[in-house]
Amino acid sequence: MKILALNFNQKGMGTYRRSFYFSRELARAGHQVTMVTVSCSSRFRRCISWKRDWTGECAEPRGAGPWIRLIEGPAWGYRALPGWGSGPLDIWQRMRELQTGEYDAVLGFEYHPNVSWPVYLTRRWKHFRFVSDWCDWYGGSSNRYRGWKLAHRIDSHLEEKIRHAADCVSVTSRVLFERALAIGIRREKIVHIPAGAATDYIVPLDAGQARRQVRVPEGAPIVAALRNGNMCREVLIFREVLRRVPGALFLMLGSSSAQALELAERAGISQQIISTGWVRDEDYPQYLACADVCFCPLEDGRNDRARWPAKILDYLTAGRATVTNAVGEVADLFQEQPVGVLAGHSCEEFAEPIAELLRDPERRRALGESAREVMVRDWDYRLRGPLINGMMMA
């Protein structure tokens, strides 16, 4: 089959990951796959390359696959509408790709204009199979629109309308499975495909060597967290960690949060926070390897119950001892497998197991080794391949 995968956001961000790994598994199954995303660097022109691994692109396929053809659409106007994915040049070029590409199937990641409009405007005469992937519940809680209720209702309507237009809907969680049923999608059209682990990209590395490579202090106990919201809760948790382990450092990965850094300054702990800013994909595994403990606080609400936070799978795949909350399907994994520690929701309750792990290197090592083993055995994206391929062929 000739398949077009439409990802709404920019290359390397958010849903791009799920889109890339779904596309690669389809290519592994023998399909010709083109994936479209939004460029981070080109405003007015699209860029075309070939991609096999998470890092790196080629002008043409070189060596064994699976290869996918990657189109990075122009970014001009990408954020023009609330919710993003609204670049007019990008939308027009995606429509042209569908009009001229003779695709048998389209896989759409979410419902934003650069995914839904090309599908709505071309499907009547192109007659491709359409599969809609649902991995965040935007109308459920993610999108707020400054409290504008009408905007929120419109957004929710658009998010759910695209599922009714699909021949099949893939969902990342049981919460979204139940939501799809509730809005009238037939059970036989819904496929539950949780997030997967990028075990070929993220591998356990020596902590000392990684710290030297990225210039992080070698002797200090280090906790790490990837950007998640405004990161203020992470700062408050780290403040409690410092009361138990005074020499600890907090490696704050990803784009900087001014709110979090201001909070740290007011709390008098800014000198013990290392904010990396955006890190290159090539360096990301090294930064993860610097951590003694990784942590990801979750809220027990619709947003975190509906999604599968890929960053937690990154921590486990890197072989890092990990602390999180018992929310959604994350709770199932941590309760069924010895991969990490579940904490209470208050900052004090969350900080306690982090501090205990910082004091117990043997337990950290055991949890990290077990986490890596479980990711390779049960969570590698290649294990999702038959489900991904099956929903495109049905």
Side-chain angles (χ1 to χ4, degrees):
M1 291 177 66
K2 193 173 181 182
I3 299 173
L4 182 67
L6 299 176
N7 173 52
F8 87 90
N9 54 6
Q10 289 183 292
K11 181 184 176 186
M13 301 179 186
T15 315
Y16 173 87
R17 169 183 292 208
R18 187 168 170 93
S19 179
F20 169 74
Y21 282 107
F22 272 46
S23 297
R24 192 171 73 167
E25 290 313 306
L26 290 169
R28 197 188 307 279
H31 302 293
Q32 298 178 49
V33 183
T34 295
M35 173 181 159
V36 187
T37 190
V38 181
S39 175
C40 291
S41 56
S42 176
R43 295 191 65 201
F44 300 109
R45 294 184 179 182
R46 73 175 188 171
C47 307
I48 301 177
S49 59
W50 290 83
K51 193 168 181 65
R52 176 181 61 188
D53 303 309
W54 181 258
T55 57
E57 292 88 36
C58 301
E60 58 185 24
R62 299 173 185 171
W67 289 96
I68 62 174
R69 177 172 171 255
L70 179 68
I71 299 176
E72 299 175 49
W76 179 68
Y78 167 67
R79 301 188 182 191
L81 296 178
W84 305 352
S86 51
L89 294 178
D90 179 38
I91 293 170
W92 179 78
Q93 291 185 4
R94 291 178 187 222
M95 289 179 58
R96 290 290 299 161
E97 185 69 28
L98 271 171
Q99 289 170 339
T100 61
E102 299 301 323
Y103 289 98
D104 301 299
V106 174
L107 175 55
F109 289 85
E110 295 303 348
Y111 63 100
H112 302 72
N114 59 359
V115 173
S116 60
W117 293 5
V119 170
Y120 289 143
L121 294 174
T122 63
R123 194 181 185 195
R124 181 172 297 178
W125 67 88
K126 299 307 293 186
H127 306 296
F128 47 79
R129 177 175 175 80
F130 175 54
V131 176
S132 178
D133 184 70
W134 198 355
C135 64
D136 276 294
W137 193 356
Y138 291 92
S141 67
S142 296
N143 288 350
R144 296 293 185 180
Y145 297 111
R146 300 179 183 177
W148 299 343
K149 293 182 179 180
L150 177 60
H152 190 80
R153 284 197 295 269
I154 293 171
D155 182 55
S156 297
H157 170 74
L158 295 175
E159 179 178 29
E160 296 178 353
K161 180 182 178 182
I162 194 71
R163 320 305 172 185
H164 289 281
D167 297 295
C168 180
V169 177
S170 56
V171 296
T172 195
S173 67
R174 290 192 299 271
V175 168
L176 289 176
F177 190 102
E178 294 300 325
R179 181 58 184 173
L181 287 176
I183 64 173
I185 307 298
R186 297 198 308 272
R187 183 177 294 271
E188 62 270 20
K189 292 177 61 174
I190 311 169
V191 183
H192 180 201
I193 306 179
T199 60
D200 58 336
Y201 164 51
I202 298 174
V203 297
L205 300 170
D206 178 74
Q209 183 176 346
R211 291 185 184 192
R212 288 191 292 273
Q213 186 168 342
V214 300
R215 299 180 180 179
V216 169
E218 291 188 46
I222 293 179
V223 300
L226 187 62
R227 177 71 186 260
N228 185 34
N230 63 19
M231 296 297 285
C232 288
R233 186 179 174 199
E234 283 81 354
V235 169
L236 294 174
I237 289 169
F238 178 61
R239 183 177 63 178
E240 296 301 321
V241 171
L242 282 175
R243 289 173 178 167
R244 295 157 174 81
V245 185
L249 298 177
F250 178 16
L251 190 61
M252 191 185 296
L253 299 171
S255 55
S256 297
S257 166
Q259 286 178 277
L261 295 177
E262 289 170 6
L263 176 61
E265 185 72 32
R266 292 196 302 271
I269 61 173
S270 60
Q271 296 302 310
Q272 289 171 279
I273 295 180
I274 303 171
S275 179
T276 66
W278 190 263
V279 300
R280 299 189 313 155
D281 287 342
E282 292 81 359
D283 296 331
Y284 179 52
Q286 279 76 26
Y287 277 101
L288 291 179
C290 293
D292 295 303
V293 178
C294 292
F295 70 105
C296 180
L298 300 175
E299 299 289 344
D300 192 15
R302 282 181 175 179
N303 189 30
D304 282 342
R305 289 200 303 266
R307 66 190 181 108
W308 229 115
K311 57 180 66 68
I312 292 177
L313 297 181
D314 287 352
Y315 303 157
L316 302 177
T317 303
R320 300 295 93 188
T322 301
V323 180
T324 187
N325 296 114
V327 173
E329 288 167 62
V330 172
D332 297 341
L333 171 59
F334 276 65
Q335 288 166 354
E336 293 168 5
Q337 302 285 353
V339 296
V341 179
L342 293 172
H345 285 274
S346 74
C347 294
E348 295 83 359
E349 290 173 319
F350 204 110
E352 190 58 39
I354 295 176
E356 290 175 0
L357 285 170
L358 289 176
R359 301 188 196 105
D360 191 344
E362 183 57 30
R363 189 180 180 210
R364 293 201 308 268
R365 182 196 61 77
L367 284 174
E369 290 179 357
S370 177
R372 174 69 187 185
E373 179 183 347
V374 169
M375 291 298 102
V376 171
R377 186 187 68 220
D378 300 332
W379 287 78
D380 191 290
Y381 259 111
R382 282 169 285 196
L383 300 172
R384 310 279 189 256
L387 275 177
I388 296 168
N389 185 49
M391 72 179 182
M392 303 304 299
M393 302 292 289

